[in-house]
């Protein structure tokens, strides 16, 4: 076995070579170790491995060489000490939140969360005696006022789904530190290239690798990154014994996805910026929210904490739900889907799909209206996408 060791690489290099371990065959591409378990030459060797006295793999629920390459490559990209890869983004979020709290603890979370994340915080955690408070994540006073003596965790995503609200991660991290709580950041919408929550003071970062990291609509996956101590003390046993592990096949696909992540995110962000500019001038569009435009409500925070814009745009079609539906139905290249970060451009009507479980009042609080759509910009030529949008808006009108 030979391993690539990090030599102060820039992200694009790490994403091609980072974490690679080669078998004695010296294969060029990462090997796919599609195996459940591992064999030992002697009973003594098995004993030593179980005691942790000898390195090596035991069982793929714990760790697997292909999954290990994916975890190490993600650590390099994120600047994290350690990571655990999971079967989906929700497995990552729920493990990160549940592994370190117990009945009687208190969790504060921003109310603008991916639908399933909000279900974990609002419904699941209280069932196990964990108190939770939802706050307006953009209002620092609300974070401050929500703190109780038993507050153990803060949780947020930024930019948020679907209205691309931005939360000041460094400011929330310092409130968490004063409260003796850990801040978990769901960094899916920003991607690991545009925002580094650990550098901003967050303690734990989670991803749905299903989105930009795969980026080609194939596999579900997730990853949790943090310092080694937090993972050893909180996640290690939880992960081994509850089994949210990533399949080696999916880890292999995600490794190949990481190789092209910088190229895809750069191109998709560039196209999204152009399309957002076009929509902002279009008479059939009421409101455009795009991190990267000067008229974004938190443009100053974006300039401080993000390296680039977003591959997603949120906008409102004049005329409400009826016009929004006509617009979606008239699109040709851009397909209706709840996914995002894909090479294919995808559009969603959040109020009736991803956020349908929220009460109307909660949706209105988050700015998710009948007229609101979320566009995930893909790798198609931006001119073709603009033409598709213009034609569909004209048909809808
Ligand atoms: C998609 C998504 C998740 C959940 O990821 P899955 O891989 O679908 O389980 C969590 N958080 C955010 C922000 C997401 O976009």
């Amino acid at each position: 076995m030979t391993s690539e060791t990090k030599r102060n690489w820039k992200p694009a290099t790490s994403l091609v070579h980072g974490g690679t371990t080669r078998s004695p065959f010296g294969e060029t591409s990462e090997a796919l170790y599609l195996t459940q378990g591992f064999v030992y030459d002697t009973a003594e060797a098995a004993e030593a491995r179980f005691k942790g006295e000898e390195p090596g793999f035991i069982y793929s629920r714990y760790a697997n060489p292909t999954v290990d390459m994916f975890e190490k490559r993600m650590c390099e990209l994120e600047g994290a000490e350690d990571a655990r890869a999971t079967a989906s983004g929700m497995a990552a979020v729920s493990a990160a939140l549940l592994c370190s709290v117990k009945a009687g603890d208190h969790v504060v979370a921003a109310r603008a969360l991916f639908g399933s994340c909000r279900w974990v915080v609002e419904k699941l955690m209280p069932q196990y005696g964990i108190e939770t408070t939802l706050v307006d994540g953009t209002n620092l006073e609300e974070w401050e006022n929500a703190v109780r003596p038993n507050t153990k965790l803060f949780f947020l995503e930024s930019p948020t789904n679907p209205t691309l609200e931005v939360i000041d991660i460094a400011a929330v991290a310092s409130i968490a530190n004063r409260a003796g709580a850990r801040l978990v950041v769901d960094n899916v919408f920003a991607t690991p290239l545009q925002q580094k929550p650990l550098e901003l003071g967050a303690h734990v970062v989670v991803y749905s690798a299903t989105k930009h990291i795969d980026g080609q609509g194939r596999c579900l996956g997730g990853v949790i990154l943090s310092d080694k101590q937090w993972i050893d003390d909180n996640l290690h046993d939880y992960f081994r014994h509850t089994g949210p592990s990533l399949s080696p096949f999916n880890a292999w696909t995600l490794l190949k996805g990481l190789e092209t992540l910088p190229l895809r995110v750069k191109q998709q962000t560039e196209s999204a910026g152009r399309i957002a500019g076009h929509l902002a001038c279009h008479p059939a569009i009421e409101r455009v929210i795009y991190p990267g435009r000067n008229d974004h409500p938190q443009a100053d925070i974006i300039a401080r904490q993000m390296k680039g814009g977003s591959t997603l745009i949120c906008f409102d079609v004049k005329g409400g739900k009826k016009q929004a539906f006509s617009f979606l139905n008239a699109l040709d290249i851009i397909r209706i889907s709840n996914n995002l970060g894909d090479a294919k451009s995808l559009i969603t009507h959040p109020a009736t799909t991803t956020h349908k479980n929220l009460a109307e009042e909660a949706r209105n609080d988050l700015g998710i209206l009948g007229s609101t759509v979320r566009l995930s910009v893909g790798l198609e030529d931006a001119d073709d996408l603009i033409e598709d949008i213009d034609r569909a808006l004209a048909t809808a009108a």
Side-chain angles (χ1 to χ4, degrees):
M1 289 280 176
T2 57
S3 296
E4 299 269 5
T5 45
K6 189 172 185 288
R7 289 171 285 258
N8 212 13
W9 285 330
K10 299 210 165 49
T13 311
S14 282
L15 286 168
V16 175
H17 295 286
T20 303
T21 301
R22 289 201 167 83
S23 82
F25 293 117
E27 63 281 353
T28 312
S29 179
E30 298 76 3
L32 168 50
Y33 293 94
L34 200 54
T35 181
Q36 297 168 341
F38 302 85
V39 296
Y40 315 95
D41 286 338
T42 62
E44 287 79 7
E47 183 183 30
R49 208 170 288 180
F50 268 76
K51 276 188 177 164
E53 288 168 355
E54 262 182 27
F57 295 94
I58 294 174
Y59 189 51
S60 286
R61 171 150 45 77
Y62 302 173
N64 168 283
T66 309
V67 177
D68 191 60
M69 284 190 255
F70 173 65
E71 291 171 344
K72 290 208 163 71
R73 195 171 288 181
M74 282 302 304
C75 283
E76 275 192 27
L77 176 61
E78 200 68 43
E81 286 175 9
D82 205 359
R84 290 290 183 281
T86 57
S88 69
M90 282 321 302
V93 170
S94 53
L97 293 182
L98 291 169
C99 72
S100 67
V101 289
K102 57 181 189 317
D105 287 345
H106 177 235
V107 176
V108 185
R111 65 187 182 181
L113 291 175
F114 182 77
S116 298
C117 297
R118 185 149 164 173
W119 182 87
V120 170
V121 170
E122 236 182 339
K123 298 271 159 51
L124 184 68
M125 298 185 99
Q127 280 179 30
Y128 293 92
I130 300 152
E131 301 165 20
T132 63
T133 305
L134 290 173
V135 297
D136 171 358
T138 62
N139 184 338
L140 295 175
E141 249 171 55
E142 287 199 20
W143 287 99
E144 199 91 58
N145 294 339
V147 170
R148 300 177 193 168
N150 55 343
T151 304
K152 293 287 160 56
L153 270 191
F154 277 18
F155 177 50
L156 65 85
E157 66 182 60
S158 179
T160 65
N161 176 39
T163 50
L164 308 176
E165 215 173 73
V166 170
I167 299 175
D168 188 336
I169 295 174
V172 175
S174 73
I175 299 170
N177 282 332
R178 266 180 273 134
R182 297 248 147 189
L183 171 61
V184 180
V185 173
D186 179 339
N187 204 37
V188 169
F189 272 52
T191 82
L193 295 163
Q194 312 277 44
Q195 180 169 276
K196 297 260 186 274
L198 297 178
E199 286 175 11
L200 295 165
H203 305 96
V204 182
V205 182
V206 290
Y207 287 99
S208 164
T210 313
K211 311 296 166 53
H212 303 83
I213 293 174
D214 176 5
Q216 288 158 86
R218 301 162 296 195
C219 298
L220 298 183
V223 59
I224 307 163
L225 302 117
S226 187
D227 57 273
K228 194 171 176 314
Q229 186 83 44
W230 185 86
I231 290 192
D232 284 350
D233 294 351
N234 297 281
L235 187 59
H236 182 79
D237 285 348
Y238 180 99
F239 187 88
R240 283 188 164 213
H241 304 305
T242 64
S245 335
L246 180 65
S247 145
F249 181 84
N250 289 0
W252 179 83
T253 310
L254 297 172
L255 275 163
K256 303 318 282 179
L258 284 177
E259 291 184 338
T260 57
L261 181 70
L263 292 173
R264 288 184 284 105
V265 169
K266 181 166 179 276
Q267 183 58 53
Q268 287 169 244
T269 303
E270 216 171 277
S271 297
R274 265 194 65 198
I275 294 167
H278 181 79
L279 290 168
C281 305
H282 199 293
I285 301 299
E286 193 138 341
R287 156 183 89 151
V288 176
I289 309 170
Y290 182 69
R293 279 180 61 80
N294 294 335
D295 58 4
H296 188 286
Q298 290 104 20
D300 54 327
I301 303 171
I302 294 167
R304 279 205 306 273
Q305 77 181 21
M306 290 181 73
K307 292 186 179 75
S310 173
T311 64
L312 292 125
I313 310 166
C314 179
F315 58 96
D316 287 273
V317 180
K318 274 186 192 157
K321 178 183 166 189
K322 190 165 165 285
Q323 287 300 106
F325 269 34
S326 307
F327 164 62
L328 260 60
N329 293 342
L331 287 164
D332 180 27
I333 302 171
I334 302 169
R335 303 306 305 267
I336 302 167
S337 174
N338 43 286
N339 209 0
L340 63 102
D342 200 290
K344 294 177 171 58
S345 291
L346 303 172
I347 198 158
T348 309
H349 186 258
T352 52
T353 59
T354 53
H355 290 71
K356 75 163 179 32
N357 289 336
L358 286 183
E360 195 176 344
E361 199 192 326
R363 273 202 303 272
N364 288 339
D365 278 349
L366 296 173
I368 306 167
L369 313 174
S371 53
T372 308
V373 298
R374 184 196 76 193
L375 172 64
S376 169
V377 177
L379 285 173
E380 304 93 340
D381 192 295
D383 287 334
D384 287 337
L385 296 175
I386 288 171
E387 205 178 296
D388 197 30
I389 289 168
D390 283 352
R391 200 191 31 74
L393 285 172
T395 309

